[in-house]
Amino acid sequence: MTTPLEAAEPAAVQAAGPGDERSAGRGTLRYALSKAGGALFSIAMVLVGTFFVFRLLPGDPVRNLAQGRNMTPAQLDLERRRLGLDKPLLDQFIDFVGDTLRLDLGTSYEYKRPVLDLIGERLGPTLLLAGTGLVIAVSLGIWQGTRAGWRHGTRFDRLSTGASLLLWSVPTFWLGLLLMMVFGVGIGPIPGIFPFRGIESVDAPDGFAYVLDVASHMVLPCLTLVAVVYAQYLLVMRSSLMEEVSQDYVTVARAKGLRDDEVRRRHAVPNALLPTVTLVFMRVGFVVGGAVTVETIYTWPGLGQLFYEAISVPDFTLMQGTFLLITVAVIVMNTLADVVYHLLDPRVRSA
Amino acid sequence: MNPFLAVRLVSTSIHRWMYGYLTVPDSKTLQPSPDLAESWTTSEDGLTWTFKIRAAKWSDGQPVTAEDAAWTFNKMMTDEAAKTANGPAVENFESVTASGQDLTIKLKAPQASMLENPVPIMPKHAWESVTDMANYDAEKYPTVSSGPYIAVEHKKDQYVKLQANPNYWRGKPKIDELQVIFYDNPQAAIAGLKKGDIDLLGRMTPQEFEAIQNDPNIEAWNTQGRRAAYLQINHGATTTDDKAVGDGHPALKDLKVRQALHYAIDKQKLVDEVQNGLAKPADGSIVPPMYKDFFWEATGEEKVSYDPAKANQLLDEAGYKKGADGVRTMPDGDRKLEFRFTIHTETPIEDKLAEYLTAFFKEVGITLTTVKLESSKFTEETGVTGNFDIAISGWSVNPDPEEVMATHLCSRRPAPGGEGGGTESFFCDDTFEKLYQDQLKELDRPKRIDLLKQMQERLYTQAPIIAIYYTNDLEGYRKDKVTSITPIPEDKGLLYGGSGYWPFYTVDVKAAAAASGGTGGGSNTGLIAGIVGAVVVVGAAAFFLTRRRKSTADERE
């Protein structure tokens, strides 16, 4: 995702001449500021969008809250007033923006608790699961991608690329159920080893045993998540390494008589890592959104599950809150990715 | 978990295990029987009810008094937020007073269903300090309870842990601990049952049920259920001021057409092929046959059996002629008999039903096209705006069918401004209305049952809805763990899906040693029940949400 202000940036970039450390630093700062400005603009648009789009959804929230029960008009009115739905739309919007800036995301219709609290409760489990999954997927993807790209065309390359693509194209839900059946329930003589519901046992022990308990609950959801997403890191790493291999500097390094793996580690890989870094940052934004499907399969009490539930009710405030959080996280991470890339790659600065 | 607010099926079921009510359905007959009220009397005019509260104790040792009950009802009558869960239950209450162990309720108008009061009696001493009821989540554990179990721990959407109440007036339950574990995903719940992570799982779909049927460790529990599935027919939707709303097909206003539709449906085939045989074809109305007292079945002339020839004949006689393309047209114009069938998105079983109905109706010269709506839109169009021709519906019925009958009253139609509502059929029929009012006043049970049966008959013959089948109650439990469990009603009744706490009060399990490779390593002295939560996988979302809506009756048993 690019920010709308991108068009305005080359001037700032050109101002920083290559080789001049101080002005390069200033250039980066200016670049970062312009990116941040763009991000703020995007966030403002998201705020507007969130408010109006969710009001276009079908269904009267008050009636949905009643869930088919017979409510008197007086009760409906009271409920409407309580939710502030009786005010003109513009007033509602102003309230919404003001509250959001004060980090007050309102009270969930369904849970009758502050949205921020609900999000807070779910953020931890999501970061734990999706974060761990991301770290594993990135490490695995980069390692396999490097090996595959360095010696592309070999059996290892064909096998790992093929396997990752296969996993990438498999429906997450199906794969999750399959893993649950094999490693959770057990098939034939293979006993099920891992739990497949929730983040902890109901009678969870304390201390270190608790950490083990949570870890065992993480195995299957994490495995599912990693299996499905690691292909993208593998493929990006592989192709960018293959590109580097054909570059002159690699040939030069080889000609200098450096050992093969030294050329790979010291010369080719650092350069090839750049696109992967961007991808990782972009992914971190989505991590906050959680992995809805995986969380649902394994009843993982995360944000994805919360967002999904908010949509099904529909619970406007909860939807707004989770949606805002997820989009803001994605925007912030994209901006960071741009800035970091700018720092890492001189070509972007001088381009 | 605040009983004044809880509308979710899961929480209300658990409240039934935690709190005493005035009365409880008898485990054999399902008739109201003493719970916290050990006896009661009614005044001649039916307006004053006096309940004698039994000398029971709260789980914290304090005595249960009529004052607790009076406080509970008065709280609901005066605090708008406290009305959230069971408001309608006290709508007709004039005043509620306590004197010693006597609770006196004065009514504005007679109400025969007084003994079906759905309100859990709450401990005044533990709850009167709650000022902001709307935002009180009742996260204080252990709870002060008067039912068989006390909640001791609760993790939102994860689990509820309950312990036996040593002060329970019937005596402490046989098991010490009961864990209710939530699953978002039905497949995971079934896997949990197969693995032995959970001991009991309720309310499965036919497809899910088939997955456990041949497992040697699992008792597959298949009994008559408390649910009726029916078609809503838009026979002319109106608001409470009798103004027409919606865009229903005009031909459906004709009783003959509705009857013809009824004759055209092969209910047995639907049961066999849509419900995998796990249902009973409906020869009655919305009260399923498990309620032996209240169930009404059509016989003789009135009975509509599958007979496409008869359906064709009815339509021919009424002047709906078939065109060259085999589709009938209205007698007075060129509008064809092309109806829409509204179902929920992402519900495979309703898709299948739609296919069969389309084929049945084609036989009689009627075209059916399927419209899929997302759950909240569905609720609005079929219950408020009237933008449909035929729609799928269903209801889980309580031991007393008054509430489900009430969904077909004139007053349940949407108000002129689109407010209120809660109709299942947009039905408004003088005969039906009168019967309803009569049964409200009728305190003689056999006479009242007769009136309620006449109402079902009226629904059957007027056909604003057409019952198609009664789905079975499909559950399963571990044979190797559960040593005894008594369903409700006791004669081949329901387990988790039943009304009341009886199965969970009577359940007994094998002692700890049952080695089943469990990971957590906690206590095994209890029962672990799995529940598929309100939030579910994408594919089944609509189905569960509807069930939640349609099951609101559950909260009123």
Side-chain angles (χ1 to χ4, degrees), chain B residues 59-88:
Chain B
S59 52
D60 64 359
Q62 302 254 15
V64 177
T65 65
E67 191 56 45
D68 290 312
W71 178 83
T72 306
F73 291 122
N74 279 311
K75 185 79 190 163
M76 291 173 59
M77 287 156 68
T78 51
D79 182 339
E80 276 297 328
K83 277 197 181 116
T84 310
N86 286 306

mmCIF file of all heavy atoms in Angstrom, chain B residues 59-88:
data_model
loop_
_atom_site.group_PDB
_atom_site.id
_atom_site.type_symbol
_atom_site.label_atom_id
_atom_site.label_comp_id
_atom_site.label_asym_id
_atom_site.label_seq_id
_atom_site.Cartn_x
_atom_site.Cartn_y
_atom_site.Cartn_z
ATOM 1 N N SER B 59 -25.984 -19.976 48.369
ATOM 2 C CA SER B 59 -24.738 -20.741 48.488
ATOM 3 C C SER B 59 -23.802 -20.138 49.534
ATOM 4 O O SER B 59 -22.900 -20.807 50.028
ATOM 5 C CB SER B 59 -24.029 -20.831 47.131
ATOM 6 O OG SER B 59 -23.873 -19.544 46.577
ATOM 7 N N ASP B 60 -24.032 -18.869 49.908
ATOM 8 C CA ASP B 60 -23.186 -18.287 50.953
ATOM 9 C C ASP B 60 -23.792 -18.453 52.350
ATOM 10 O O ASP B 60 -23.311 -17.859 53.308
ATOM 11 C CB ASP B 60 -22.903 -16.804 50.656
ATOM 12 C CG ASP B 60 -24.168 -15.955 50.682
ATOM 13 O OD1 ASP B 60 -25.263 -16.523 50.910
ATOM 14 O OD2 ASP B 60 -24.068 -14.740 50.479
ATOM 15 N N GLY B 61 -24.849 -19.243 52.429
ATOM 16 C CA GLY B 61 -25.414 -19.563 53.729
ATOM 17 C C GLY B 61 -26.583 -18.682 54.162
ATOM 18 O O GLY B 61 -27.285 -19.007 55.109
ATOM 19 N N GLN B 62 -26.802 -17.562 53.488
ATOM 20 C CA GLN B 62 -27.923 -16.681 53.839
ATOM 21 C C GLN B 62 -29.247 -17.325 53.425
ATOM 22 O O GLN B 62 -29.293 -18.037 52.433
ATOM 23 C CB GLN B 62 -27.779 -15.344 53.118
ATOM 24 C CG GLN B 62 -26.494 -14.617 53.423
ATOM 25 C CD GLN B 62 -26.706 -13.441 54.345
ATOM 26 O OE1 GLN B 62 -27.759 -13.335 54.981
ATOM 27 N NE2 GLN B 62 -25.721 -12.576 54.444
ATOM 28 N N PRO B 63 -30.320 -17.056 54.174
ATOM 29 C CA PRO B 63 -31.606 -17.647 53.800
ATOM 30 C C PRO B 63 -32.206 -16.991 52.541
ATOM 31 O O PRO B 63 -32.007 -15.798 52.316
ATOM 32 C CB PRO B 63 -32.493 -17.374 55.023
ATOM 33 C CG PRO B 63 -31.863 -16.196 55.689
ATOM 34 C CD PRO B 63 -30.392 -16.277 55.419
ATOM 35 N N VAL B 64 -32.886 -17.799 51.756
ATOM 36 C CA VAL B 64 -33.620 -17.265 50.600
ATOM 37 C C VAL B 64 -34.971 -16.796 51.113
ATOM 38 O O VAL B 64 -35.677 -17.553 51.777
ATOM 39 C CB VAL B 64 -33.824 -18.356 49.529
ATOM 40 C CG1 VAL B 64 -34.655 -17.818 48.374
ATOM 41 C CG2 VAL B 64 -32.483 -18.869 49.023
ATOM 42 N N THR B 65 -35.334 -15.554 50.816
ATOM 43 C CA THR B 65 -36.624 -15.056 51.294
ATOM 44 C C THR B 65 -37.442 -14.497 50.146
ATOM 45 O O THR B 65 -36.932 -14.306 49.031
ATOM 46 C CB THR B 65 -36.444 -13.921 52.314
ATOM 47 O OG1 THR B 65 -35.838 -12.800 51.629
ATOM 48 C CG2 THR B 65 -35.550 -14.334 53.465
ATOM 49 N N ALA B 66 -38.691 -14.235 50.418
ATOM 50 C CA ALA B 66 -39.563 -13.631 49.418
ATOM 51 C C ALA B 66 -39.042 -12.240 49.055
ATOM 52 O O ALA B 66 -39.288 -11.742 47.957
ATOM 53 C CB ALA B 66 -40.987 -13.545 49.952
ATOM 54 N N GLU B 67 -38.320 -11.650 49.995
ATOM 55 C CA GLU B 67 -37.748 -10.326 49.752
ATOM 56 C C GLU B 67 -36.786 -10.364 48.553
ATOM 57 O O GLU B 67 -36.739 -9.433 47.740
ATOM 58 C CB GLU B 67 -37.003 -9.880 51.031
ATOM 59 C CG GLU B 67 -36.573 -8.434 51.068
ATOM 60 C CD GLU B 67 -37.728 -7.461 50.853
ATOM 61 O OE1 GLU B 67 -38.810 -7.650 51.466
ATOM 62 O OE2 GLU B 67 -37.541 -6.530 50.068
ATOM 63 N N ASP B 68 -36.035 -11.445 48.427
ATOM 64 C CA ASP B 68 -35.116 -11.585 47.290
ATOM 65 C C ASP B 68 -35.898 -11.562 45.964
ATOM 66 O O ASP B 68 -35.524 -10.872 45.021
ATOM 67 C CB ASP B 68 -34.343 -12.909 47.380
ATOM 68 C CG ASP B 68 -33.321 -12.902 48.518
ATOM 69 O OD1 ASP B 68 -32.567 -11.922 48.626
ATOM 70 O OD2 ASP B 68 -33.294 -13.872 49.288
ATOM 71 N N ALA B 69 -36.977 -12.348 45.945
ATOM 72 C CA ALA B 69 -37.791 -12.423 44.732
ATOM 73 C C ALA B 69 -38.421 -11.069 44.434
ATOM 74 O O ALA B 69 -38.410 -10.600 43.286
ATOM 75 C CB ALA B 69 -38.864 -13.496 44.887
ATOM 76 N N ALA B 70 -38.942 -10.430 45.477
ATOM 77 C CA ALA B 70 -39.594 -9.130 45.285
ATOM 78 C C ALA B 70 -38.583 -8.116 44.767
ATOM 79 O O ALA B 70 -38.870 -7.338 43.855
ATOM 80 C CB ALA B 70 -40.210 -8.655 46.593
ATOM 81 N N TRP B 71 -37.384 -8.151 45.341
ATOM 82 C CA TRP B 71 -36.352 -7.215 44.892
ATOM 83 C C TRP B 71 -36.038 -7.432 43.407
ATOM 84 O O TRP B 71 -35.950 -6.497 42.621
ATOM 85 C CB TRP B 71 -35.080 -7.395 45.721
ATOM 86 C CG TRP B 71 -33.988 -6.476 45.252
ATOM 87 C CD1 TRP B 71 -33.820 -5.169 45.595
ATOM 88 C CD2 TRP B 71 -32.944 -6.781 44.304
ATOM 89 N NE1 TRP B 71 -32.738 -4.639 44.928
ATOM 90 C CE2 TRP B 71 -32.183 -5.609 44.130
ATOM 91 C CE3 TRP B 71 -32.589 -7.938 43.599
ATOM 92 C CZ2 TRP B 71 -31.083 -5.543 43.266
ATOM 93 C CZ3 TRP B 71 -31.491 -7.883 42.742
ATOM 94 C CH2 TRP B 71 -30.750 -6.695 42.587
ATOM 95 N N THR B 72 -35.899 -8.724 43.021
ATOM 96 C CA THR B 72 -35.580 -9.048 41.626
ATOM 97 C C THR B 72 -36.617 -8.473 40.669
ATOM 98 O O THR B 72 -36.286 -7.803 39.694
ATOM 99 C CB THR B 72 -35.516 -10.583 41.438
ATOM 100 O OG1 THR B 72 -34.606 -11.112 42.398
ATOM 101 C CG2 THR B 72 -35.050 -10.949 40.048
ATOM 102 N N PHE B 73 -37.913 -8.738 40.986
ATOM 103 C CA PHE B 73 -38.961 -8.272 40.068
ATOM 104 C C PHE B 73 -39.065 -6.756 40.086
ATOM 105 O O PHE B 73 -39.203 -6.120 39.039
ATOM 106 C CB PHE B 73 -40.305 -8.903 40.421
ATOM 107 C CG PHE B 73 -40.354 -10.376 40.140
ATOM 108 C CD1 PHE B 73 -40.645 -11.300 41.139
ATOM 109 C CD2 PHE B 73 -40.090 -10.861 38.864
ATOM 110 C CE1 PHE B 73 -40.679 -12.663 40.871
ATOM 111 C CE2 PHE B 73 -40.122 -12.220 38.575
ATOM 112 C CZ PHE B 73 -40.419 -13.122 39.596
ATOM 113 N N ASN B 74 -38.980 -6.163 41.271
ATOM 114 C CA ASN B 74 -39.093 -4.708 41.356
ATOM 115 C C ASN B 74 -37.939 -4.017 40.631
ATOM 116 O O ASN B 74 -38.123 -2.974 40.011
ATOM 117 C CB ASN B 74 -39.160 -4.256 42.812
ATOM 118 C CG ASN B 74 -40.560 -4.423 43.355
ATOM 119 O OD1 ASN B 74 -41.530 -4.011 42.730
ATOM 120 N ND2 ASN B 74 -40.688 -5.059 44.516
ATOM 121 N N LYS B 75 -36.775 -4.616 40.744
ATOM 122 C CA LYS B 75 -35.620 -4.061 40.040
ATOM 123 C C LYS B 75 -35.923 -4.011 38.531
ATOM 124 O O LYS B 75 -35.670 -3.012 37.861
ATOM 125 C CB LYS B 75 -34.393 -4.945 40.303
ATOM 126 C CG LYS B 75 -33.111 -4.401 39.709
ATOM 127 C CD LYS B 75 -32.530 -3.296 40.578
ATOM 128 C CE LYS B 75 -31.389 -2.581 39.871
ATOM 129 N NZ LYS B 75 -31.082 -1.288 40.493
ATOM 130 N N MET B 76 -36.494 -5.102 38.042
ATOM 131 C CA MET B 76 -36.791 -5.152 36.609
ATOM 132 C C MET B 76 -37.888 -4.178 36.225
ATOM 133 O O MET B 76 -37.937 -3.685 35.098
ATOM 134 C CB MET B 76 -37.209 -6.573 36.211
ATOM 135 C CG MET B 76 -36.073 -7.559 36.283
ATOM 136 S SD MET B 76 -36.628 -9.240 36.007
ATOM 137 C CE MET B 76 -37.332 -9.091 34.378
ATOM 138 N N MET B 77 -38.808 -3.945 37.156
ATOM 139 C CA MET B 77 -39.927 -3.057 36.826
ATOM 140 C C MET B 77 -39.505 -1.589 36.884
ATOM 141 O O MET B 77 -40.134 -0.743 36.256
ATOM 142 C CB MET B 77 -41.092 -3.307 37.790
ATOM 143 C CG MET B 77 -41.793 -4.636 37.502
ATOM 144 S SD MET B 77 -42.656 -5.305 38.941
ATOM 145 C CE MET B 77 -43.964 -4.123 39.165
ATOM 146 N N THR B 78 -38.441 -1.277 37.626
ATOM 147 C CA THR B 78 -38.083 0.125 37.804
ATOM 148 C C THR B 78 -36.805 0.528 37.073
ATOM 149 O O THR B 78 -36.634 1.688 36.741
ATOM 150 C CB THR B 78 -37.883 0.430 39.305
ATOM 151 O OG1 THR B 78 -36.987 -0.545 39.850
ATOM 152 C CG2 THR B 78 -39.189 0.365 40.051
ATOM 153 N N ASP B 79 -35.916 -0.420 36.823
ATOM 154 C CA ASP B 79 -34.641 -0.081 36.197
ATOM 155 C C ASP B 79 -34.668 -0.542 34.736
ATOM 156 O O ASP B 79 -34.753 -1.734 34.462
ATOM 157 C CB ASP B 79 -33.516 -0.790 36.971
ATOM 158 C CG ASP B 79 -32.133 -0.454 36.435
ATOM 159 O OD1 ASP B 79 -32.030 -0.022 35.273
ATOM 160 O OD2 ASP B 79 -31.154 -0.637 37.185
ATOM 161 N N GLU B 80 -34.632 0.433 33.830
ATOM 162 C CA GLU B 80 -34.742 0.089 32.401
ATOM 163 C C GLU B 80 -33.680 -0.924 31.980
ATOM 164 O O GLU B 80 -33.953 -1.827 31.202
ATOM 165 C CB GLU B 80 -34.622 1.354 31.542
ATOM 166 C CG GLU B 80 -35.915 2.134 31.379
ATOM 167 C CD GLU B 80 -36.999 1.345 30.658
ATOM 168 O OE1 GLU B 80 -36.659 0.510 29.792
ATOM 169 O OE2 GLU B 80 -38.191 1.572 30.968
ATOM 170 N N ALA B 81 -32.467 -0.760 32.484
ATOM 171 C CA ALA B 81 -31.385 -1.659 32.083
ATOM 172 C C ALA B 81 -31.669 -3.089 32.541
ATOM 173 O O ALA B 81 -31.373 -4.045 31.836
ATOM 174 C CB ALA B 81 -30.061 -1.187 32.659
ATOM 175 N N ALA B 82 -32.283 -3.220 33.708
ATOM 176 C CA ALA B 82 -32.552 -4.554 34.246
ATOM 177 C C ALA B 82 -33.630 -5.279 33.439
ATOM 178 O O ALA B 82 -33.872 -6.467 33.619
ATOM 179 C CB ALA B 82 -32.957 -4.456 35.712
ATOM 180 N N LYS B 83 -34.306 -4.540 32.564
ATOM 181 C CA LYS B 83 -35.344 -5.150 31.707
ATOM 182 C C LYS B 83 -34.748 -5.875 30.515
ATOM 183 O O LYS B 83 -35.444 -6.596 29.808
ATOM 184 C CB LYS B 83 -36.261 -4.049 31.162
ATOM 185 C CG LYS B 83 -37.355 -3.630 32.096
ATOM 186 C CD LYS B 83 -38.434 -2.874 31.323
ATOM 187 C CE LYS B 83 -39.523 -2.432 32.256
ATOM 188 N NZ LYS B 83 -39.645 -1.011 32.374
ATOM 189 N N THR B 84 -33.476 -5.619 30.259
ATOM 190 C CA THR B 84 -32.885 -6.087 29.006
ATOM 191 C C THR B 84 -33.179 -7.554 28.702
ATOM 192 O O THR B 84 -33.610 -7.888 27.614
ATOM 193 C CB THR B 84 -31.355 -5.874 29.026
ATOM 194 O OG1 THR B 84 -31.111 -4.538 29.415
ATOM 195 C CG2 THR B 84 -30.751 -6.134 27.665
ATOM 196 N N ALA B 85 -32.966 -8.405 29.678
ATOM 197 C CA ALA B 85 -33.086 -9.829 29.390
ATOM 198 C C ALA B 85 -34.533 -10.308 29.380
ATOM 199 O O ALA B 85 -34.965 -10.981 28.456
ATOM 200 C CB ALA B 85 -32.277 -10.637 30.395
ATOM 201 N N ASN B 86 -35.281 -9.956 30.392
ATOM 202 C CA ASN B 86 -36.605 -10.547 30.544
ATOM 203 C C ASN B 86 -37.714 -9.525 30.748
ATOM 204 O O ASN B 86 -38.714 -9.818 31.398
ATOM 205 C CB ASN B 86 -36.595 -11.527 31.719
ATOM 206 C CG ASN B 86 -35.860 -12.798 31.374
ATOM 207 O OD1 ASN B 86 -36.169 -13.456 30.384
ATOM 208 N ND2 ASN B 86 -34.860 -13.130 32.173
ATOM 209 N N GLY B 87 -37.521 -8.346 30.204
ATOM 210 C CA GLY B 87 -38.492 -7.272 30.381
ATOM 211 C C GLY B 87 -39.941 -7.680 30.199
ATOM 212 O O GLY B 87 -40.779 -7.424 31.080
ATOM 213 N N PRO B 88 -40.286 -8.327 29.074
ATOM 214 C CA PRO B 88 -41.696 -8.653 28.829
ATOM 215 C C PRO B 88 -42.317 -9.481 29.964
ATOM 216 O O PRO B 88 -43.530 -9.431 30.182
ATOM 217 C CB PRO B 88 -41.652 -9.459 27.532
ATOM 218 C CG PRO B 88 -40.406 -8.999 26.854
ATOM 219 C CD PRO B 88 -39.435 -8.691 27.949
#
